[in-house]
């Protein structure tokens, strides 16, 4: 029961922190190197934390062809594999 309450609180906290009207650029101070986040405004790019700085990464530079960032797999994929997903968890 305690685990269920903890998970509910965690989900509520994450949902409260998500702003679909922002670009979702993280503050990388104190975050792990290589931590990545979806760019809500541009599906061809994602954010990556390096040494406390937030860098934007273009998927075309990663794969060598036009491609998009898949937030489910947390990697760049070909457009034929890409599908749009909601930027924030459903509040319901």
């Amino acid at each position: 029961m305690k685990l269920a309450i903890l998970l509910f609180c965690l989900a509520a906290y994450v949902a409260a922190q998500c702003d679909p009207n922002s670009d979702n650029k993280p503050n990388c101070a104190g975050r792990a190197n290589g931590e990545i986040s979806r760019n809500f405004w541009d599906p061809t790019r994602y954010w990556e934390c390096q040494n406390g700085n937030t860098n934007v990464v273009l998927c075309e530079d990663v794969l060598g062809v036009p491609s998009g960032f898949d937030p489910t797999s947390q990697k760049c994929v070909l457009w034929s594999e890409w599908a749009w997903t909601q930027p924030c968890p459903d509040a319901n």
Side-chain angles (χ1 to χ4, degrees):
M1 180 66 174
K2 289 180 184 179
L3 179 61
I5 293 171
L6 177 65
L7 291 175
F8 174 77
C9 291
L10 179 61
Y13 174 78
V14 170
Q17 298 302 311
C18 185
D19 179 5
N21 296 315
S22 76
D23 61 0
N24 198 40
K25 182 178 181 179
N27 177 353
C28 287
R31 291 195 181 197
N33 280 343
E35 185 174 324
I36 59 176
S37 301
R38 175 183 181 177
N39 184 328
F40 289 167
W41 292 349
D42 186 351
T44 67
R45 292 173 167 78
Y46 62 91
W47 305 108
E48 181 175 31
C49 295
Q50 288 295 329
N51 301 318
N53 298 313
T54 307
N55 301 314
V56 65
V57 179
L58 178 63
C59 281
E60 186 169 346
D61 291 343
V62 174
L63 293 183
V65 295
S67 49
F69 180 74
D70 177 42
T72 303
S73 65
Q74 294 283 294
K75 64 180 184 176
C76 296
V77 297
L78 299 175
W79 285 117
S80 60
E81 301 170 21
W82 184 86
W84 184 85
T85 57
Q86 291 280 352
C88 297
D90 189 10
N92 292 334

